[in-house]
Amino acid sequence: MGSQHILVTGPAINERAVKLAEANGYSMAYVPPYTSEDDLVRMVADVNPIGVIVRMGRFGEPAIAAAPSLRVISKHGVGVDNIDVDAASRREIPVVVATGANAPSVAEHAIALLLATVKRILPLDGGLRAGKWEKPGFSGKELSGMTMGLVGFGAIARRTAALAKAFGISLRAYDPFAEDSIFREAGVARDNTVEALLAASDIVSLHCPLTPETRNLLDDRGLGLMKPGSYVINTARGGLIDEAALLRAVASGHIAGAGIDTFQTEPPASDHPFWSEPKIVVTPHIGGVTEEANARVGIDAIEGILAVVQGRELGREKIVNFRALQKASA
């Protein structure tokens, strides 16, 4: 019998997910959050897992090579930019993602960041606590009648669009990989270029994966295409935004504010320049970290591993590296 261990790159997963793994004969091992690569490789070699659930930090080729029994890598969520997918494919190891499992939670967080940013909740709260009564001369903004542009139109973006409609926000989206029918069913206008979407939106909300093509999507040029006084929301990946460019655009007033849940480097430095800019609302990459989402994502992550090692079809989970998929289904 091969390895009966599943390794989690993080301190825990949902208790129901753990019980599911144990009921199928697997024991769990855990790696401290954001462990160094050398320590991660050592831990992987010690455990020699049959499956790895990637939560926090990068899981690269040295870690993949350290586990000869490894048959599947399962992402605790959907973003695989912290997994060396190419290295996994070369070893014919499927990489599985939990599609849509955290969509309600992340979409709600995107709307929370939008409300906090546009309604200027944090600076107004801080001013009031500092003894200021800023009602005289104050002028806020209504969400109703604004246009939100969604970059990417997967499960999270579609859920965000549904919530935004309740505020009277007009929706448009850009996603070159989605079918036209998805836009029609959601009642969302389709833009054929990301440039057209940026130029037409009062709010740009990012929901696409981080790839070489999307890295620094919102740089000086991308931000410059946006309307003066518009807003940026990012609950996807930090690398989609050139953080220095965003800071310049906010400082100049071209971008009125931003709600940011993800960063180029995580965790960000203690002296990150965003901390001194009150128009940028920040949270520590917790959009999908709710009790409900953790249960769904954790169970899906385990189910993905079990489906691959037991030779079953996947359910809501999907394999993202197609070479490995061909091998797994052969």
Side-chain angles (χ1 to χ4, degrees):
M1 181 179 288
S3 171
Q4 294 298 110
H5 306 297
I6 295 173
L7 183 74
V8 180
T9 63
I13 59 170
N14 179 264
E15 183 180 334
R16 287 166 54 200
V18 173
K19 289 179 177 177
L20 176 62
E22 292 173 345
N24 280 269
Y26 295 95
S27 62
M28 307 298 297
Y30 302 93
V31 174
Y34 307 108
T35 295
S36 71
E37 184 170 74
D38 288 346
D39 286 343
L40 175 62
V41 169
R42 177 178 53 78
M43 293 176 191
V44 170
D46 287 346
V47 174
N48 187 23
I50 193 169
V52 171
I53 295 175
V54 177
R55 286 200 66 189
M56 303 173 187
R58 179 161 178 79
F59 198 75
E61 184 163 24
I64 293 170
S69 296
L70 184 61
R71 287 183 57 195
V72 55
I73 299 169
S74 187
K75 172 66 181 187
H76 194 270
V78 291
V80 295
D81 52 282
N82 62 338
I83 299 171
D84 191 332
V85 177
D86 289 339
S89 297
R90 287 193 295 273
R91 293 175 180 270
E92 297 177 333
I93 296 170
V95 178
V96 183
V97 298
T99 305
N102 64 359
S105 292
V106 180
E108 289 173 4
H109 197 69
I111 295 298
L113 288 172
L114 173 62
L115 286 166
T117 302
V118 175
K119 297 298 184 181
R120 294 155 57 184
I121 299 298
L122 295 183
L124 289 169
D125 175 272
L128 196 54
R129 293 173 189 274
K132 301 175 184 176
W133 183 255
E134 297 176 271
K135 184 173 182 177
F138 179 81
S139 180
K141 287 188 70 70
E142 283 187 351
L143 293 177
S144 180
M146 295 178 80
T147 296
M148 175 184 264
L150 305 160
V151 181
F153 203 50
I156 295 170
R158 295 196 296 272
R159 189 68 174 241
T160 302
L163 296 175
K165 281 188 175 184
F167 291 95
I169 296 173
S170 297
L171 277 302
R172 57 198 313 123
Y174 167 76
D175 190 328
F177 305 106
E179 298 290 335
D180 284 337
S181 59
I182 293 174
F183 292 83
R184 288 196 301 269
E185 290 165 9
V188 172
R190 180 169 203 166
D191 281 308
N192 292 321
T193 67
V194 70
E195 290 82 3
L197 179 136
L198 296 178
S201 302
D202 302 298
I203 305 150
V204 170
S205 188
L206 302 179
H207 300 278
C208 56
L210 179 61
T211 66
E213 292 73 31
T214 62
R215 184 174 293 280
N216 290 330
L217 177 73
L218 293 187
D219 54 10
D220 286 316
R221 176 181 176 274
L223 292 163
L225 291 172
M226 292 175 59
K227 294 180 180 181
S230 55
Y231 299 85
V232 171
I233 306 297
N234 188 15
T235 52
R237 286 292 183 265
L240 299 171
I241 295 177
D242 179 334
E243 292 177 345
L246 177 61
L247 200 64
R248 288 191 291 270
V250 171
S252 73
H254 180 71
I255 299 298
I260 303 295
D261 187 47
T262 58
F263 298 83
Q264 287 179 332
T265 299
E266 294 185 352
S270 59
D271 61 348
H272 195 290
F274 281 2
W275 306 166
S276 60
E277 177 48 76
K279 293 178 183 175
I280 300 179
V281 178
V282 290
T283 54
H285 202 162
I286 47 74
V289 185
T290 63
E291 182 179 338
E292 296 82 1
N294 278 345
R296 290 190 298 269
V297 174
I299 290 169
D300 280 6
I302 292 292
E303 285 280 14
I305 289 175
L306 295 176
V308 171
V309 299
Q310 295 171 0
R312 296 186 283 107
E313 285 190 17
L314 280 79
R316 180 167 55 189
E317 317 83 21
K318 71 174 183 178
I319 296 175
V320 296
N321 53 337
F322 298 104
R323 284 175 53 202
L325 171 59
Q326 293 165 4
K327 176 70 175 181
S329 59

